[in-house]
Amino acid sequence: MNNPNSSNRKIVILGNGIAGVTCARHVRKKDDKADITIVSGETEHFFSRTALMYIYMGHMKYEHTKPYEDWFWEKNRIDLKHAWVGNVDFENKQLLFQDGATLAYDILVLATGSKPNKFGWPGQEFKGVQGLYSYQDLELMEQNTQNIKRAVVVGGGLIGIEMAEMLASREIPVTFLVREKNFWDNILPLEEAQLINRHILEHHIDLRLETELEEIIGEDSGKVKSIKTKTGEIIDCQFVGLTVGVSPNIGFLKNSGLETNRGIVVDGFFRTNLQGVYAIGDCAEFKEAPASDRKNIEQVWYTGRMHGETLAYNLTTSNAVPYQPGIWFNSAKFLDIEYQTYGQVPAIWSDETESFYWEDKSGKICIRLLYSKKDKEIMGVNAFGWRLRHAFFDKAISEGWSLEKVLSHLNQASFNPEFSKPFHKEVLAKYNRESGKALETYKASFFKKLIGSRS
Amino acid sequence: MKNIQKVGAAIFVLGFLIFSILPFIGTYQLGKTIVEANVKDIHRETMVDIMSPMYGKVYDSNFAFIKDFKQYFNTYNDQLKSNQEWDKVIWDNYAFDLTKASSLGPVANNPYFYLGISVLVAVIGALLYILPLYRSEPEGIKNNGIFFSSMKAKGFLGILTGTYLILFYIVLYWFPEYMTNLVIAVDPISMALSGNPASQWFLYGLIYTLAIFVMGIRMFRKYRGNKYQTLRTASVMFFQLSFAFILPEILVLFNQPWHDFKNIWPLDYSFFYDYRMEGMLSSGALGMFMLIWGIILIVLGVPLLTYFYGKRWYCSWVCGCGGLAETLGDPYRQLSDKTVKSWKIERYLIHGVLVFAVLMTALTIGNYFSGFSFLGDATNQLHSIYGFAIGSAFAGVIGTGFYPLMGNRVWCRFGCPLAAYLGMVQRFKSRFRITTNGGQCISCGNCSTYCEMGIDVRWYAQRGQNIVRSSCVGCGVCSAVCPRGVLKLENGDEEGRINDMPIIIGNKSITIKS
Ligand SMILES: Cc1cc2nc3c(=O)[nH]c(=O)nc-3n(C[C@H](O)[C@H](O)[C@H](O)COP(=O)(O)OP(=O)(O)OC[C@H]3O[C@@H](n4cnc5c(N)ncnc54)[C@H](O)[C@@H]3O)c2cc1C
Ligand code: SF4
Ligand code: SF4
């Protein structure tokens, strides 16, 4: 690896998203001398991409989405360059900007993120048809959704439902096309997917399951006027959101000598095929998946942050470590229902795995625990409408707690606000009913409850 | 907006306009008997004399009446002042009492009617607007459109509302004689409760309590499904109605000093003033209880309860200022400034006020026990400076008037000396913290945006660090609005409460300490 902390080496980070910014911050913490520059064409300052929807919905303004105040960068001597890179000249170690300027580097960290997929549908170039990834996309969406009568969102994933929620918040009628049988059912088990189906309908969003887009139809003026589904149905609309996943944003790096596949190919140390060039975040593709239960491309906020942390560590030490993610976790919010997951809960599990599922009468709260049939060790948990303690499940899963141990400690695992209705008793009662056992919840004394002690 | 809400909004505006116009209607006439009945014995003769040019004259507006009153009154005083005859100057302000007593109607003739068409109509309108809120929507907090709202995002309506509130407070504190009609309208209620005619403070207390109730009902609608929000809102409503509004009036009815048992020094800055002390000491067992209870709250209640539950037990469950901020002020919580710069200003200001209050009280008590030989009248000067600058200008005019401009906790954050005291306990010796849920934060910023105290909650959450800040009033809204379930207000063991070097769960390659 590079000789750490040696001199004022020039570290250039392309991309000011969570991956690039985390890397820059952690390098600066350990290395006082390095000359750090973050480049991005999107916005001058780091903002939270995950908060884009809240700007549209009027919960926040752009400035609220910036995790650091503007003085932060100068104080930490992190230079910001707000411009688009057209090309990288890897041979001469410099970035070539679209406006003709150049920037030399000793170490280059590519953290260029993703771009929305477009699958070559007829009519996808009409005005009013767009994806949602960047700040510019958001501005475009603002323009494209002025005074419209109906919008169609294509693609039943996380960004799709966010977009549907955004539009619904402005009282724009939304038709939501989902190819699968149930919402996000390639990730969610049936009951959970159906729970969200119901909730989407409850919000008066016109959810169309098992419905695929055939083509987008425009007016002569070039504006979208309707879409046609695979079954031939025509739906009039003035806006089409395409949210069918994202791909690494590496178009401008093709044929530059950098090894790419779907993303920028890296090893477990985020090294590309070129000396001194690394890739992290959404745009990186591991040659080998970092763990058996992990994908080669990780496109979530948390992994971007971990990539950044780990690479920064490696850039400032002589004992580089490979990237080794721990227990998987993720979360989302589907309209009003929060979702958290820890460990592995695939949509369909093998015969060696069993599931315990509880759903509240309201049909809006549920928990699923997957465990191995053989030794009853828990493997993962899904919770909807029920906040769970990350530290609890990180420990329970990595230590291989049994299902029963987890169930009898569920009261401690809950992270719901104080005075919330406790669900752990109902869950346990269901388990006892089904298993014929008489498991009990670990109990706290009245005094401990009064002072709110957990231990 | 549903039609019934539009009607409600219109009715509210109507009631509000009538309330605002009411002070300016009616006729006034001063008579000798009125003066005799409303001034102190020592001033009776002089005042009857000074005011004689006004007798029998009917004034068409309170402006004309007050103008004449001030002219005659000031001419008299100015004369004495220029002759340096200080002991003859009348320092008492009789403008309010005499204006109120001189009112010929129509409000005085029909107070219930005027109270009804102003305050009651506004309350009904507001409820018609509030009750249908989110009616057809699933449970969940909807902050949609807040930053597009003229009222809630410092637009024209927000600035207008702020200006109105500021003017209202200025009149209330320094020119109450201009709002006598409103006070007259609530006279019968005051008579019923305490057997005394209303003062402007009774009017204020009544409106204050109504505001907490009506906007408290709005809180129930807005935070449906969040029991913490519902309970603490119900709690501030209860404490305002019983402890702050009704109980003190009942005490007065039984000839006891007016006393709010849940108010604590140094927020209740006059607690140790000589007149209050004398009031308590001369009121038998109950008075003694008031004194001892007040002291217990200061030396035991605050540290103990704050140790177990954080300062929230007071600030967002009991306190009247907090009660108004959490109900009437809730629509403005997102306007608080989150910058590190304002945090710095906050620390200087709030601790400055605390020092001022403590010093002033120490001098007052010292002076009192020395039989006023120590500083004489000087503590009175201090009291009026504090009362003017902190008690009225800061807590009232800025504290509430600036809701629509700087958020709903301006006073609690920058000024309240009790908050400073509670905050020190919370920061250094308490079981309360906001726990951050491992690595789940997506840095979206909802928590920081909706923190009324201007705490940059995200700063801690995204590093996996617990939030332990002296200013946090434990309103729980950061936790309520977090879309990823990252924040939980809780009381727990002190160990591990402050984790300056948090480890974000999820990455086994390294253990990042940031
Ligand atoms: C609407 C939305 C909601 C999401 N919600 C969640 C969520 O709730 N939870 C979650 O875990 N994940 C979520 N994600 C995914 C998450 O935001 C991404 O995984 C993460 O932001 C990726 O970070 P990054 O640093 O790899 O890249 P990015 O944040 O994409 O940053 C890359 C930056 O590099 C810039 N750049 C790229 N090429 C160039 C160039 N040639 N010249 C100049 N600049 C360039 C880009 O403009 C961009 O600013 C969401 C994504 C979207 C779009
Ligand atoms: S609201 Fe929640 S997810 Fe968003 S920044 Fe705050 S703690 Fe993080
Ligand atoms: S940090 Fe949270 S609980 Fe504390 S005052 Fe701010 S919003 Fe309320």
Side-chain angles (χ1 to χ4, degrees):
Chain A
M1 298 292 291
N2 297 278
N3 200 359
N5 303 341
S6 57
S7 60
N8 42 0
R9 58 200 167 131
K10 207 164 166 38
I11 301 178
V12 172
I13 297 171
L14 177 50
N16 67 351
I18 181 68
V21 161
T22 306
C23 182
R25 282 178 42 238
H26 287 288
V27 168
R28 175 52 82 225
K29 271 183 195 158
K30 293 260 206 74
D31 181 347
D32 204 38
K33 293 201 205 95
D35 183 346
I36 305 173
T37 306
I38 304 182
V39 179
S40 174
E42 187 180 3
T43 51
E44 184 179 357
H45 298 105
F46 172 45
F47 75 99
S48 179
R49 192 170 303 295
T50 52
L52 277 177
M53 65 183 293
Y54 302 115
I55 302 176
Y56 185 86
M57 292 166 71
H59 296 198
M60 286 190 267
K61 295 211 251 182
Y62 166 68
E63 70 224 37
H64 298 114
T65 68
K66 290 193 268 187
Y68 301 96
E69 283 184 59
D70 292 349
W71 50 257
F72 177 86
W73 309 103
E74 204 185 307
K75 180 171 172 248
N76 288 290
R77 288 171 296 119
I78 295 172
D79 292 335
L80 303 178
K81 176 142 177 86
H82 183 197
W84 290 105
V85 172
N87 249 312
V88 183
D89 177 356
F90 289 109
E91 215 146 285
N92 296 310
K93 296 201 162 195
Q94 57 175 352
L95 303 183
L96 307 174
F97 290 95
Q98 278 182 352
D99 61 8
T102 60
L103 179 68
Y105 65 82
D106 300 320
I107 290 171
L108 176 64
V109 177
L110 296 166
T112 57
S114 301
K115 58 177 182 12
N117 288 336
K118 286 196 172 183
F119 290 138
W121 282 293
Q124 67 182 21
E125 67 292 339
F126 284 121
K127 188 169 161 2
V129 182
Q130 65 165 106
L132 175 64
Y133 188 82
S134 64
Y135 186 68
Q136 284 74 24
D137 290 339
L138 186 78
E139 288 180 315
L140 188 65
M141 184 168 165
E142 185 67 55
Q143 284 171 25
N144 280 341
T145 54
Q146 293 298 319
N147 306 315
I148 63 168
K149 291 203 193 65
R150 175 164 293 275
V152 170
V153 175
V154 183
L158 293 175
I159 301 182
I161 194 167
E162 284 190 2
M163 213 180 204
E165 183 180 358
M166 291 159 76
L167 293 158
S169 79
R170 300 245 187 132
E171 291 176 8
I172 298 170
V174 189
T175 299
F176 188 16
L177 306 190
V178 173
R179 190 181 56 182
E180 294 76 22
K181 277 211 178 84
N182 293 292
F183 173 75
W184 213 34
D185 69 2
N186 51 339
I187 305 287
L188 298 180
L190 184 66
E191 284 86 352
E192 286 95 312
Q194 287 178 337
L195 184 149
I196 299 301
N197 286 347
R198 293 193 299 269
H199 188 54
I200 293 172
L201 292 172
E202 187 186 17
H203 272 271
H204 310 294
I205 291 169
D206 173 26
L207 173 67
R208 307 285 187 94
L209 298 171
E210 293 184 273
T211 308
E212 276 185 75
L213 177 67
E214 169 81 22
E215 76 168 295
I216 300 164
I217 302 160
E219 294 172 348
D220 294 341
S221 65
K223 275 199 194 145
V224 55
K225 75 169 191 211
S226 58
I227 60 120
K228 191 162 130 195
T229 68
K230 281 250 160 85
T231 57
E233 188 185 352
I234 305 266
I235 299 170
D236 286 340
C237 59
Q238 297 73 41
F239 176 81
V240 178
L242 297 177
T243 57
V244 287
V246 296
S247 311
N249 176 18
I250 54 169
F252 70 107
L253 295 166
K254 294 272 177 194
N255 307 320
S256 59
L258 184 72
E259 189 191 340
T260 59
N261 180 34
R262 281 198 297 142
I264 302 166
V265 179
V266 296
D267 65 8
F269 298 84
F270 304 102
R271 291 179 294 215
T272 67
N273 64 317
L274 302 173
Q275 173 73 34
V277 181
Y278 304 83
I280 51 174
D282 276 23
C283 69
E285 175 176 351
F286 295 103
K287 245 179 260 171
E288 280 163 37
S292 60
D293 55 1
R294 294 280 180 146
K295 301 206 178 72
N296 294 60
I297 302 183
E298 302 187 308
Q299 289 157 318
V300 289
W301 184 263
Y302 312 116
T303 50
R305 192 174 66 201
M306 291 187 232
H307 293 183
E309 287 166 3
T310 315
L311 178 61
Y313 179 84
N314 286 348
L315 290 176
T316 51
T317 180
S318 42
N319 298 318
V321 293
Y323 172 57
Q324 236 191 318
I327 305 291
W328 170 257
F329 66 96
N330 201 2
S331 60
K333 190 172 183 184
F334 304 108
L335 300 151
D336 298 314
I337 298 185
E338 286 173 26
Y339 153 69
Q340 290 185 337
T341 186
Y342 301 101
Q344 291 304 317
V345 185
I348 298 166
W349 44 89
S350 73
D351 290 344
E352 278 119 66
T353 306
E354 283 188 330
S355 149
F356 174 77
Y357 180 79
W358 169 87
E359 191 175 292
D360 181 57
K361 285 184 293 295
S362 64
K364 288 174 140 191
I365 301 160
C366 76
I367 189 167
R368 178 187 301 282
L369 293 148
L370 283 194
Y371 56 98
S372 81
K373 211 176 205 165
K374 207 171 79 226
D375 48 24
K376 311 287 183 214
E377 282 185 6
I378 80 149
M379 298 154 65
V381 55
N382 269 355
F384 285 74
W386 186 350
R387 297 174 172 182
L388 298 177
R389 219 173 269 274
H390 189 175
F392 179 93
F393 279 101
D394 192 74
K395 190 168 154 126
I397 296 169
S398 54
E399 291 179 359
W401 287 22
S402 70
L403 174 72
E404 294 191 349
K405 182 168 179 191
V406 172
L407 285 175
S408 55
H409 286 78
L410 264 189
N411 54 335
Q412 294 174 5
S414 180
F415 203 70
N416 278 340
E418 293 155 304
F419 304 112
S420 297
K421 190 177 165 214
F423 302 116
H424 61 270
K425 281 191 196 132
E426 286 182 41
V427 175
L428 204 60
K430 181 173 194 233
Y431 178 79
N432 285 340
R433 249 191 334 271
E434 289 174 358
S435 65
K437 296 196 175 162
L439 224 58
E440 276 182 35
T441 299
Y442 163 85
K443 277 206 190 72
S445 73
F446 176 72
F447 177 72
K448 278 188 173 175
K449 272 191 198 154
L450 192 69
I451 64 170
S453 182
R454 261 186 286 130
S455 52
Chain B
M1 213 185 340
K2 296 168 196 107
N3 281 333
I4 180 143
Q5 287 186 287
K6 287 185 192 156
V7 173
I11 295 180
F12 171 77
V13 172
L14 182 74
F16 188 71
L17 285 177
I18 295 175
F19 177 85
S20 312
I21 294 168
L22 217 51
F24 309 111
I25 64 165
T27 46
Y28 298 80
Q29 187 181 22
L30 189 63
K32 191 173 163 210
T33 43
I34 295 179
V35 179
E36 283 171 347
N38 284 289
V39 303
K40 291 181 186 164
D41 292 349
I42 46 160
H43 296 143
R44 188 161 295 145
E45 236 171 275
T46 332
M47 280 300 283
V48 165
D49 205 35
I50 302 171
M51 290 301 138
S52 57
M54 287 177 74
Y55 299 156
K57 201 168 157 194
V58 176
Y59 293 86
D60 282 342
S61 77
N62 55 352
F63 280 104
F65 179 89
I66 294 163
K67 190 173 160 225
D68 265 12
F69 171 86
K70 291 206 163 150
Q71 195 202 323
Y72 297 124
F73 186 74
N74 290 345
T75 314
Y76 171 80
N77 264 352
D78 290 346
Q79 175 77 34
L80 292 172
K81 284 181 191 166
S82 63
N83 292 344
Q84 312 236 341
E85 297 177 80
W86 300 112
D87 46 339
K88 287 193 185 161
V89 174
I90 300 178
W91 297 105
D92 295 76
N93 186 352
Y94 291 118
F96 175 79
D97 290 329
L98 289 180
T99 312
K100 187 174 171 221
S102 305
S103 172
L104 292 177
V107 182
N109 301 331
N110 216 338
Y112 282 121
F113 173 74
Y114 286 95
L115 186 64
I117 59 167
S118 57
V119 175
L120 192 64
V121 163
V123 167
I124 291 171
L127 288 177
L128 282 178
Y129 178 82
I130 287 166
L131 289 172
L133 276 175
Y134 316 109
R135 188 71 4 152
S136 56
E137 293 169 45
E139 250 176 31
I141 300 166
K142 307 284 186 301
N143 283 329
N144 294 341
I146 285 192
F147 279 96
F148 309 138
S149 153
S150 168
M151 186 56 140
K152 298 172 192 166
K154 286 189 272 192
F156 175 72
L157 286 179
I159 293 171
L160 195 69
T161 310
T163 314
Y164 184 96
L165 285 172
I166 291 169
L167 286 174
F168 175 81
Y169 274 94
I170 291 177
V171 175
L172 175 73
Y173 282 123
W174 296 297
F175 307 100
E177 57 271 21
Y178 289 95
M179 63 197 312
T180 46
N181 270 347
L182 295 171
V183 180
I184 291 168
V186 297
D187 256 346
I189 301 181
S190 178
M191 290 303 289
L193 276 174
S194 69
N196 284 313
S199 67
Q200 73 268 37
W201 303 118
F202 181 83
L203 169 74
Y204 180 52
L206 180 81
I207 296 174
Y208 198 102
T209 309
L210 281 173
I212 288 186
F213 263 76
V214 171
M215 292 301 276
I217 293 172
R218 173 188 165 280
M219 290 292 283
F220 295 150
R221 298 300 304 151
K222 166 135 199 183
Y223 296 97
R224 270 168 323 155
N226 189 317
K227 250 193 172 165
Y228 183 78
Q229 298 303 329
T230 308
L231 284 175
R232 74 176 178 87
T233 304
S235 172
V236 291
M237 288 161 94
F238 166 77
F239 279 103
Q240 174 61 31
L241 181 67
S242 55
F243 281 67
F245 186 63
I246 295 189
L247 205 59
E249 299 297 331
I250 293 179
L251 287 174
V252 174
L253 182 66
F254 290 102
N255 284 320
Q256 302 294 331
W258 194 102
H259 195 85
D260 175 355
F261 282 99
K262 65 157 182 43
N263 205 353
I264 306 178
W265 176 90
L267 173 59
D268 183 7
Y269 57 88
S270 61
F271 187 79
F272 294 104
Y273 285 6
D274 35 329
Y275 76 91
R276 296 268 312 262
M277 298 270 277
E278 263 152 25
M280 292 187 277
L281 290 173
S282 63
S283 302
L286 185 68
M288 209 56 204
F289 174 71
M290 286 171 183
L291 184 62
I292 293 171
W293 172 248
I295 293 172
I296 287 180
L297 280 179
I298 300 162
V299 298
L300 281 178
V302 168
L304 268 180
L305 287 167
T306 309
Y307 171 71
F308 283 116
Y309 304 110
K311 81 198 250 189
R312 56 185 173 153
W313 77 268
Y314 194 72
C315 297
S316 61
W317 285 74
V318 173
C319 179
C321 306
L324 192 71
E326 294 291 348
T327 50
L328 182 68
D330 180 74
Y332 304 111
R333 53 170 52 253
Q334 65 282 354
L335 301 176
S336 62
D337 191 332
K338 318 301 186 302
T339 57
V340 172
K341 194 170 141 199
S342 61
W343 184 16
K344 266 194 196 139
I345 297 173
E346 164 193 322
R347 280 177 295 180
Y348 278 115
L349 271 179
I350 194 166
H351 295 122
V353 174
L354 178 64
V355 170
F356 186 176
V358 170
L359 282 179
M360 174 180 82
T361 305
L363 291 177
T364 304
I365 295 175
N367 205 23
Y368 181 74
F369 284 110
S370 74
F372 300 95
S373 63
F374 173 38
L375 286 166
D377 272 353
T379 46
N380 285 344
Q381 305 286 326
L382 262 182
H383 296 172
S384 30
I385 295 173
Y386 190 94
F388 172 81
I390 312 292
S392 309
F394 203 159
V397 180
I398 299 177
T400 308
F402 277 62
Y403 276 6
L405 309 173
M406 286 173 69
N408 53 333
R409 286 276 194 177
V410 179
W411 160 247
C412 314
R413 179 183 179 192
F414 295 101
C416 176
L418 179 58
Y421 172 30
L422 288 154
M424 284 192 237
V425 182
Q426 167 158 294
R427 174 68 184 76
F428 295 108
K429 193 71 193 165
S430 170
R431 297 165 59 87
F432 171 72
R433 86 296 305 276
I434 302 177
T435 306
T436 288
N437 200 11
Q440 289 281 24
C441 175
I442 52 170
S443 300
C444 69
N446 276 295
C447 52
S448 299
T449 306
Y450 288 91
C451 176
E452 55 192 354
M453 297 304 285
I455 297 172
D456 190 358
V457 183
R458 165 175 56 192
W459 173 269
Y460 306 89
Q462 66 191 354
R463 305 159 77 218
Q465 190 178 355
N466 291 345
I467 295 100
V468 178
R469 278 275 295 265
S470 53
S471 63
C472 170
V473 291
C475 66
V477 169
C478 54
S479 158
V481 298
C482 171
R484 293 295 178 271
V486 178
L487 306 164
K488 178 168 162 65
L489 282 68
E490 55 185 359
N491 319 309
D493 300 328
E494 281 176 87
E495 194 191 319
R497 183 175 86 112
I498 300 179
N499 48 348
D500 274 337
M501 291 287 186
I503 296 168
I504 300 189
I505 306 172
N507 191 354
K508 280 202 298 197
S509 346
I510 41 164
T511 46
I512 285 293
K513 298 200 164 187
S514 58

